[in-house]
């Protein structure tokens, strides 16, 4: 991680007013197959984070990579390699993303990413129930993917 710790004070400059555990920096996120690990994963163009206590805010972009090498054996798409390990006890969901050249399966579908201890995994609902957003929908010669999410760490 390319993080930088800072001292931030609220309402005064004494130690009692210091906000502890604030950090911001850069990292490399990977777009990959959830169950098949790092085979064919694609690094982000840029990724930044801000951590305040247990909350981590991430902004990630993939700008025009070829993702045809993603392992697409029916697995779920994952945004992995978060700067701090997400909590497995406190699931977080985001719908804050934009895509170009990604197969949305159905224009009426709802799309989201949910956390577990490995990062974010894609979900889709187009028939009344939630299921995996398959990797093969993400394989393209020119992907654009902008992602923003907030998650919690265990401690």
């Amino acid at each position: 991680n390319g993080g930088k710790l800072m001292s931030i004070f609220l309402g005064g400059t004494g130690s009692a007013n210091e906000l502890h555990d604030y950090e911001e920096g850069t990292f490399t996120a990977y777009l990959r197959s959830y169950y098949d690990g790092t085979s064919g994963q694609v690094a982000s163009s840029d990724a930044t984070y801000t951590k305040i206590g247990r909350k981590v805010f991430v902004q990630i972009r993939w700008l025009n990579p070829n993702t045809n090498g993603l392992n697409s054996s029916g697995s779920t798409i994952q945004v992995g390699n978060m700067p701090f390990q997400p909590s497995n006890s406190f699931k977080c969901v985001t719908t804050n993303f934009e895509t170009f050249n990604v197969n949305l399966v159905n224009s009426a579908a709802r799309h989201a990413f949910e956390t577990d201890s490995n990062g974010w995994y894609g979900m889709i609902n187009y028939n009344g129930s939630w299921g995996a957003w398959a990797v093969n929908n993400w394989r393209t010669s020119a992907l654009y993917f902008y992602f923003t999410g907030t998650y919690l760490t265990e401690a």
Side-chain angles (χ1 to χ4, degrees):
N1 296 343
K4 182 172 90 171
L5 293 172
M6 298 180 184
S7 292
I8 295 181
F9 296 89
L10 303 172
T13 57
S15 62
N17 299 86
E18 185 176 7
L19 174 63
H20 296 281
D21 199 13
Y22 178 91
E23 183 178 335
E24 57 185 38
T26 61
F27 69 106
T28 301
Y30 291 99
L31 194 59
R32 59 188 174 207
S33 172
Y34 183 83
Y35 297 105
D36 299 322
T38 60
S39 174
Q41 69 184 2
V42 177
S44 56
S45 300
D46 75 79
T48 61
Y49 71 89
T50 301
K51 182 177 186 289
I52 303 171
R54 294 180 52 211
K55 289 185 181 181
V56 182
F57 307 90
V58 294
Q59 291 182 290
I60 310 166
R61 296 188 307 171
W62 283 265
L63 301 175
N64 201 26
N66 184 328
T67 55
N68 281 316
L70 289 173
N71 190 340
S72 66
S73 60
S75 189
T76 304
I77 195 68
Q78 179 193 35
V79 177
N81 197 44
M82 293 298 100
F84 301 91
Q85 184 174 19
S87 169
N88 211 30
S89 304
F90 299 97
K91 301 287 186 183
C92 296
V93 176
T94 188
T95 56
N96 294 327
F97 58 89
E98 293 181 28
T99 62
F100 177 73
N101 278 344
V102 172
N103 182 356
L104 300 177
V105 182
N106 183 309
S107 62
R110 292 181 287 165
H111 302 81
F113 283 83
E114 184 174 321
T115 60
D116 67 8
S117 60
N118 297 307
W120 299 85
Y121 58 94
M123 301 178 63
I124 185 170
N125 181 326
Y126 62 93
N127 61 1
S129 62
W130 287 97
W133 197 352
V135 171
N136 61 4
N137 293 302
W138 290 77
R139 293 174 52 126
T140 179
S141 61
L143 174 88
Y144 290 85
F145 180 39
Y146 300 82
F147 179 93
T148 303
T150 302
Y151 67 91
L152 297 172
T153 62
E154 286 291 349

